[in-house]
Amino acid sequence: QEYILKNWEKEDVLAYFSRHKYGHRYFSSEIAPLLERGDHDIIMCYLKKNYVSEEAFKGIWERGNNEEILFALEQVSLVSPEIQKKIFEKGTLEQKRKFVSRFKWDDMLVNEMFDKLDKDGVEDDLLEYVEHHELSVVCQKRMLASVSTKFFKTYISKYGLWEDVHTVLLFKRSDEEVRLYLEKHHCLSNEAEDIFFLKASFKDKLFYIETRKRSNLHYLTALIKVRPVEYELLSIAFLKHADRFPRSNEISRSSKDRVKTIVNSSRVLSSTEVVALFLLDEPELFEKYINTRDVDFD
């Protein structure tokens, strides 16, 4: 095949390439003779029939022919950060859009878009990018610290946020935006729930309790730490999970004096017994217990 490429007439090479793939692996070391010949029609014929390696794409990029680059972007499976940077800085709008339709920019380049946003306040490039791709944890943190409400709404309508970013959401975005996020995605990380139940409004806490979609019960651990104790919210939360807290236990069966003795002892109650203590409707005993013990529903 190298002989064909180097020695046959153009029409014969095109006829051969139109019928056969070139080699039996990604185009890598074969890039040299193809680019050496340097015939646009032959290169295009090749690109329409073959996958392109990262190294081959680099050669096509360096040739600088727009049509070849666009076709190569359809056929390549990986583009190095080095070549990404060149496309990002020197590529045409069409080349950049073709790249973004198939690949994510390296985080270094996404951060350059955020730098530009911080400088001139224009979000267009980032908006176009997130039409195709979710942001990494690092870039989500930066997004939450810098974008407009419009951008934020656009992003969360398409993607959730990584759990590592949930606490940033609570500190960097408004209560209204946090509520919008929860209306779409219905959960926070354990760490974020601890913060949320300390700072959110009653209405937003109630909404979260009613719509939360997580299998664990960490939010009960967070809610029971709130002071003053939010009895109405705890009632709703405990009743929501009534099937996980059997009513038959020592606390529920004991007299008030016996319960008082248990609370005054050093005994640690199970989560089921804590709920039973709550349901006795003896706020003084309940608060004495939860103020002197770590209560964990996880």
Side-chain angles (χ1 to χ4, degrees):
Q1 288 181 332
E2 284 192 28
Y3 177 86
I4 290 170
L5 188 58
K6 290 179 179 179
N7 296 285
W8 284 16
E9 295 295 327
K10 176 176 178 175
E11 290 72 19
D12 296 328
V13 175
L14 289 173
Y16 181 84
F17 274 6
S18 69
R19 291 171 174 79
H20 305 284
K21 288 194 174 184
Y22 183 50
H24 301 287
R25 61 191 187 277
Y26 282 163
F27 176 26
S28 55
S29 59
E30 297 95 323
I31 184 69
L34 189 66
L35 296 184
E36 213 172 279
R37 177 128 184 183
D39 187 290
H40 171 68
D41 294 331
I42 291 175
I43 290 172
M44 289 300 296
C45 187
Y46 169 84
L47 291 174
K48 292 172 184 178
K49 294 278 289 182
N50 293 269
Y51 293 115
V52 176
S53 72
E54 187 176 358
E55 185 63 26
F57 181 79
K58 181 178 179 181
I60 295 294
W61 167 261
E62 289 173 352
R63 259 179 65 79
N65 182 283
N66 182 59
E67 187 180 11
E68 293 171 8
I69 290 169
L70 293 174
F71 260 89
L73 282 169
E74 290 285 353
Q75 300 295 77
V76 68
S77 59
L78 186 67
V79 182
S80 69
E82 172 197 359
I83 299 301
Q84 284 187 39
K85 187 169 178 60
K86 291 180 179 179
I87 297 172
F88 185 83
E89 293 177 347
K90 300 178 181 178
T92 64
L93 182 60
E94 188 179 17
Q95 289 166 4
K96 292 177 185 178
R97 285 178 172 168
K98 175 66 73 173
F99 177 89
V100 168
S101 72
R102 293 201 61 219
F103 303 102
K104 297 181 75 169
W105 291 121
D106 185 85
D107 275 358
M108 167 189 67
L109 301 175
V110 179
N111 275 315
E112 285 193 24
M113 287 193 276
F114 278 111
D115 290 341
K116 183 179 178 184
L117 169 61
D118 291 342
K119 183 179 179 181
D120 61 26
V122 178
E123 298 174 328
D124 294 353
D125 290 344
L126 280 163
L127 280 168
E128 184 171 343
Y129 183 68
V130 300
E131 278 297 311
H132 298 278
H133 302 292
E134 183 178 12
L135 297 174
S136 68
V137 168
V138 170
C139 293
Q140 283 184 4
K141 287 179 179 179
R142 186 144 188 205
M143 173 192 72
L144 292 173
S146 59
V147 299
S148 67
T149 297
K150 178 183 177 182
F151 188 106
F152 176 79
K153 288 180 178 178
T154 298
Y155 188 85
I156 66 169
S157 70
K158 292 180 67 66
Y159 312 106
L161 296 171
W162 294 97
E163 284 198 356
D164 292 349
V165 183
H166 287 179
T167 56
V168 181
L169 167 71
L170 298 181
F171 286 118
K172 294 295 184 179
R173 307 309 299 189
S174 69
D175 292 344
E176 291 76 17
E177 289 169 325
V178 172
R179 174 64 177 260
L180 283 173
Y181 181 80
L182 295 177
E183 287 173 357
K184 292 183 178 295
H185 301 288
H186 308 291
C187 72
L188 294 169
S189 67
N190 287 1
E191 184 182 0
E193 285 182 340
D194 292 338
I195 297 166
F196 177 80
F197 279 99
L198 291 174
K199 72 188 290 288
S201 68
F202 178 90
K203 184 178 179 181
D204 286 344
K205 291 176 191 177
L206 177 59
F207 174 80
Y208 187 73
I209 290 168
E210 291 175 337
T211 62
R212 179 184 189 265
K213 293 180 180 178
R214 290 186 73 194
S215 58
N216 73 13
L217 295 180
H218 179 81
Y219 83 105
L220 296 180
T221 304
L223 180 56
I224 210 165
K225 293 176 182 176
V226 175
R227 299 294 182 273
V229 178
E230 301 202 68
Y231 283 95
E232 184 177 350
L233 293 178
L234 280 172
S235 296
I236 294 166
F238 288 150
L239 288 173
K240 181 178 179 181
H241 302 287
D243 60 322
R244 298 171 79 164
F245 301 115
R247 293 296 182 93
S248 180
N249 56 71
E250 184 179 359
I251 296 294
S252 61
R253 294 192 302 268
S254 296
S255 66
K256 180 177 178 180
D257 286 343
R258 173 60 182 155
V259 172
K260 188 179 295 186
T261 299
I262 293 172
V263 169
N264 288 330
S265 72
S266 59
R267 176 172 160 184
V268 176
L269 301 181
S270 68
S271 57
T272 295
E273 290 172 324
V274 171
V275 175
L277 179 60
F278 175 84
L279 294 175
L280 290 177
D281 197 22
E282 295 287 348
E284 185 178 346
L285 287 178
F286 178 70
E287 291 193 32
K288 183 171 184 179
Y289 182 83
I290 65 173
N291 286 336
T292 56
R293 305 285 196 285
D294 289 327
V295 179
D296 191 345
F297 289 90
D298 291 88

